[in-house]
């Protein structure tokens, strides 16, 4: 179902994105060992990756790095997330043979089948030695093993005293493991770059080549077809006006479009776009509120831009008026950079603006 609110996992459920699937395949076959898959929230990154992994036939593990937060970004957490991903992989039964000789690996048996555990206290086996085995596996089969990490910007929290710098692992793999490829994805594009630091001489990944796929929103025509097709699947036929209104308001972001479709089908009513918009704005507002808590100017900056004050001096003047005090240029600049890094704002020709209309609307309410 096109309007299923979860990330899609197969071509049958995924609308279009044929070009993107093909590009990913080319990157894997001919490109760099590091592939980045980028785009704003709800554009369909997770759906694209899961579909690609399921359809392309490469051996892979899929990790959602947000899971690391549950374990306080600890080493135990990293090992846990790895062992879960390996246990769930499409080729688990075959890679067991490659992993079981490693010190610290424990193959477990339960009602649901086999599992795998690592002795994280002793850091055995090391993450790189696990990757070495996966590389062997792929080499023996003349294929690539895809280590896929969604929300990869979260890996930056692993850094620090007595922790693991995941970039070191990637750099080692890049240099030595010919049949391993990393696919990293994330909405917070700037944060991902800040973490990977390809341009910083002291970064383990300095100067490494990467391939980049940027996922764009649907065009107006694609959005219309998306809604028409989804409603057709559900046996409903909305009028042209209904579709056009939704498409205008939801701005080509698949996540919002499918959310509208899902609600309309569920309530058997098309006339709910305002309600859906309201829910979407609330969701965005929740996210903005989290950001606002981290600094005293964010609220004013976001509001100023939402109200149309988009260049530096207008933003600065608004913030100063609303806070009633002088604002330090450097702090204001850093705040704007952070909002760009979080993929909330973009900057073009010295004008700052929201990337997603829904976030602009949400910001008017903060
Ligand atoms: N190409 C697509 N076809 C159908 N549904 C999609 C497509 N892209 C995204 N969606 C839907 O939009 C929502 C957000 O997609 P998701 O893959 O989670 O985005 P992201 O990972 O970029 O935040 C999900 O409900 C998903 O089912
Ligand atoms: Mg996602």
């Amino acid at each position: 179902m096109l309007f299923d609110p979860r990330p899609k996992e197969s071509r049958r459920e995924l609308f279009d994105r044929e070009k993107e699937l093909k590009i990913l395949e080319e990157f894997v076959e001919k490109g760099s060992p590091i592939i980045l898959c980028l785009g704003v929230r709800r554009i369909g990154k997770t759906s694209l990756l899961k579909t690609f992994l399921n359809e392309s036939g490469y051996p892979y593990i899929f990790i959602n790095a947000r899971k690391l937060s549950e374990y306080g970004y600890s080493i135990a957490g990293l090992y846990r997330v790895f062992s879960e991903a390996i246990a769930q992989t499409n080729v688990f039964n075959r890679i067991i043979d490659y992993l079981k000789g490693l010190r610290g690996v424990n193959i477990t048996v339960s009602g649901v089948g086999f599992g795998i555990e690592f002795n994280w206290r002793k850091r055995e086996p090391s993450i790189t030695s696990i990757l070495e085995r996966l590389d062997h596996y792929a080499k023996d089969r003349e294929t690539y093993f895809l280590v896929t990490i969604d929300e990869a910007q979260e890996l930056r929290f692993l850094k620090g005293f007595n922790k693991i710098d995941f970039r070191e692992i990637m750099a080692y793999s890049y240099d030595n493991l010919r049949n391993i490829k990393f696919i990293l994805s994330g909405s917070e594009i700037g944060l991902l770059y800040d973490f990977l630091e390809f341009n910083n001489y002291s970064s383990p990944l300095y100067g490494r080549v990467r391939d980049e796929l940027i996922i764009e929103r649907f065009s107006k025509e694609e959005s219309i077809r998306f809604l028409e097709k989804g409603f057709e699947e559900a046996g409903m036929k909305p009028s042209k006006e209904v579709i056009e209104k939704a498409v205008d308001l939801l701005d080509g972001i698949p996540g919002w479009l499918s959310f509208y479709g899902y609600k309309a089908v569920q309530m058997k009513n098309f006339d709910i776009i305002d309600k859906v918009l309201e829910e979407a704005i609330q969701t965005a507002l929740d996210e903005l509120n989290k950001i606002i808590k981290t600094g005293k100017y964010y609220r004013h900056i976001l509001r100023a831009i939402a109200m149309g004050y988009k260049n530096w001096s207008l933003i600065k003047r608004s913030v100063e008026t609303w806070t009633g005090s002088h604002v330090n240029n450097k702090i204001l600049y850093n705040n704007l950079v952070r909002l760009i890094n979080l993929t909330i704002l973009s900057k073009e020709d010295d004008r700052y603006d929201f990337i997603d209309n829904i976030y602009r609307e949400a910001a008017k309410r903060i």
Side-chain angles (χ1 to χ4, degrees):
M1 288 285 280
L2 222 46
F3 294 156
D4 188 315
R6 288 165 298 187
K8 306 299 190 289
E9 299 196 351
S10 69
R11 257 206 174 89
R12 201 168 30 78
E13 304 173 304
L14 192 75
F15 181 77
D16 197 12
R17 300 295 191 203
E18 287 302 320
K19 189 180 83 212
E20 287 81 357
L21 290 167
K22 212 162 141 238
I23 291 174
L24 278 178
E25 173 99 38
E26 276 173 19
F27 282 171
V28 172
E29 282 303 317
K30 301 184 197 133
S32 153
I34 300 177
I35 299 166
L36 305 181
C37 178
L38 308 170
V40 296
R41 294 165 192 73
R42 301 180 184 83
I43 201 83
K45 297 177 295 297
T46 305
S47 298
L48 181 72
L49 287 186
K50 289 200 157 179
T51 302
F52 177 69
L53 296 173
N54 281 331
E55 306 264 338
S56 63
Y58 295 101
Y60 69 87
I61 53 174
F62 180 89
I63 289 172
N64 182 344
R66 284 221 190 280
K67 265 194 169 175
L68 293 168
S69 75
E70 282 174 46
Y71 305 103
Y73 299 97
S74 62
I75 292 183
L78 182 68
Y79 273 97
R80 173 69 83 83
V81 166
F82 252 85
S83 60
E84 283 172 4
I86 290 171
Q88 281 164 13
T89 190
N90 51 347
V91 289
F92 181 60
N93 289 340
R94 276 171 271 154
I95 55 177
I96 280 184
D97 287 337
Y98 286 76
L99 291 170
K100 69 183 175 197
L102 282 173
R103 191 202 291 266
V105 171
N106 183 17
I107 309 292
T108 58
V109 189
S110 74
V112 284
F114 292 101
I116 190 161
E117 279 171 4
F118 302 124
N119 186 349
W120 60 268
R121 278 194 185 79
K122 289 196 170 157
R123 290 209 197 177
E124 279 178 350
S126 67
I127 300 287
T128 42
S129 61
I130 297 170
L131 293 179
E132 277 168 357
R133 296 303 171 101
L134 301 179
D135 181 59
H136 272 179
Y137 172 85
K139 199 168 277 156
D140 287 348
R141 283 163 183 77
E142 296 179 352
T143 184
Y144 292 102
F145 200 102
L146 308 182
V147 177
T148 313
I149 307 183
D150 202 6
E151 301 297 351
Q153 73 279 347
E154 297 290 294
L155 292 171
R156 73 194 193 282
F157 294 122
L158 287 168
K159 278 198 297 181
F161 176 68
N162 201 21
K163 292 208 171 165
I164 286 178
D165 185 342
F166 203 80
R167 300 172 309 175
E168 302 273 7
I169 294 171
M170 286 174 60
Y172 174 82
S173 176
Y174 187 108
D175 294 345
N176 299 293
L177 308 178
R178 290 293 149 104
N179 295 64
I180 296 265
K181 297 233 171 182
F182 285 92
I183 304 182
L184 307 185
S185 174
S187 310
E188 292 164 10
I189 300 167
L191 293 183
L192 185 57
Y193 269 106
D194 280 354
F195 165 59
L196 298 170
E197 292 188 309
F198 292 111
N199 299 323
N200 179 350
Y201 189 71
S202 61
S203 162
L205 290 173
Y206 175 72
R208 299 301 198 290
V209 179
R210 70 277 181 186
D211 285 312
E212 228 174 67
L213 172 63
I214 297 181
I215 308 179
E216 306 284 353
R217 60 190 69 205
F218 291 159
S219 67
K220 187 159 181 198
E221 293 69 41
E222 283 168 332
S223 304
I224 293 173
R225 276 197 295 123
F226 177 84
L227 287 180
E228 284 176 348
K229 188 162 174 233
F231 282 122
E232 199 180 298
E233 280 178 2
M236 288 170 75
K237 197 161 173 30
S239 69
K240 266 251 162 330
E241 296 81 77
V242 163
I243 298 260
E244 297 227 334
K245 184 176 175 203
V247 167
D248 279 345
L249 290 170
L250 301 173
D251 212 19
I253 308 254
W256 297 133
L257 290 165
S258 65
F259 183 58
Y260 166 66
Y262 175 75
K263 288 283 174 183
V265 169
Q266 194 184 44
M267 301 173 71
K268 300 194 173 50
N269 182 359
F270 297 114
D271 198 19
I272 53 155
I273 182 75
D274 295 331
K275 230 170 124 179
V276 165
L277 210 56
E278 186 54 37
E279 268 191 62
I281 291 171
Q282 279 305 327
T283 311
L285 195 56
D286 288 345
E287 282 175 35
L288 292 183
N289 276 328
K290 278 188 215 142
I291 297 168
I292 285 170
K293 283 204 193 99
T294 63
K296 66 176 175 182
Y297 294 143
Y298 290 122
R299 172 191 303 276
H300 305 302
I301 294 172
L302 290 166
R303 236 180 75 197
I305 297 169
M307 289 168 69
Y309 305 129
K310 297 183 181 174
N311 68 36
W312 172 266
S313 51
L314 290 175
I315 296 168
K316 185 168 177 195
R317 198 180 316 151
S318 311
V319 177
E320 291 188 330
T321 308
W322 292 328
T323 55
S325 60
H326 173 73
V327 173
N328 177 298
N329 280 344
K330 192 155 182 236
I331 298 181
L332 183 62
Y333 180 75
N334 287 342
N335 278 207
L336 283 161
V337 168
R338 174 142 188 268
L339 292 168
I340 292 172
N341 283 345
L342 287 165
T343 325
I344 300 287
L345 298 180
S346 64
K347 183 181 177 189
E348 247 170 73
D349 301 332
D350 284 325
R351 285 166 73 80
Y352 296 89
D353 207 350
F354 286 88
I355 294 177
D356 183 338
N357 274 338
I358 307 275
Y359 282 74
R360 182 181 301 111
E361 290 308 311
K364 289 180 184 163
R365 302 188 189 178
I366 52 182

